[in-house]
Amino acid sequence: MFRRREAVPFSFVAESDRFRSNVTPPPTARATVPELLGRSLVGLTVVAGLVGSLLLGLPALDAEQSAGHDKQSTASQGR
């Protein structure tokens, strides 16, 4: 590795935070109706997926269901 030969003057670095550009950025474009509908549809899909997974997952987390695994099946009763 080699160092840069020309040093950056300290005054330039100190003044860089005060620099203001005279170029204004372009105005932000407003979202169109199809874009808003698409965003809301994606949001509703995500929320519906989370609610559906919660509704389908709750029976597996039920404490009464886990106690039912101790019972033997009817096929093993004859032994």
Side-chain angles (χ1 to χ4, degrees), residues 3-74:
R3 291 186 175 188
R4 291 177 49 178
R5 291 188 179 201
E6 67 276 356
V8 178
F10 180 76
S11 61
F12 176 75
V13 176
E15 292 175 3
S16 65
D17 58 349
R18 291 186 289 155
F19 178 74
R20 296 284 185 247
S21 175
N22 60 356
V23 178
T24 58
T28 56
R30 296 190 66 166
T32 61
V33 174
E35 288 176 346
L36 290 175
L37 289 176
R39 290 176 188 172
S40 62
L41 184 62
V42 168
L44 285 175
T45 304
V46 169
V47 169
L50 291 173
V51 169
S53 65
L54 182 65
L55 289 176
L56 292 175
L58 279 178
L61 297 174
D62 194 10
E64 296 174 10
Q65 288 281 339
S66 62
H69 292 294
D70 295 337
K71 297 179 183 176
Q72 293 181 351
S73 66
T74 56

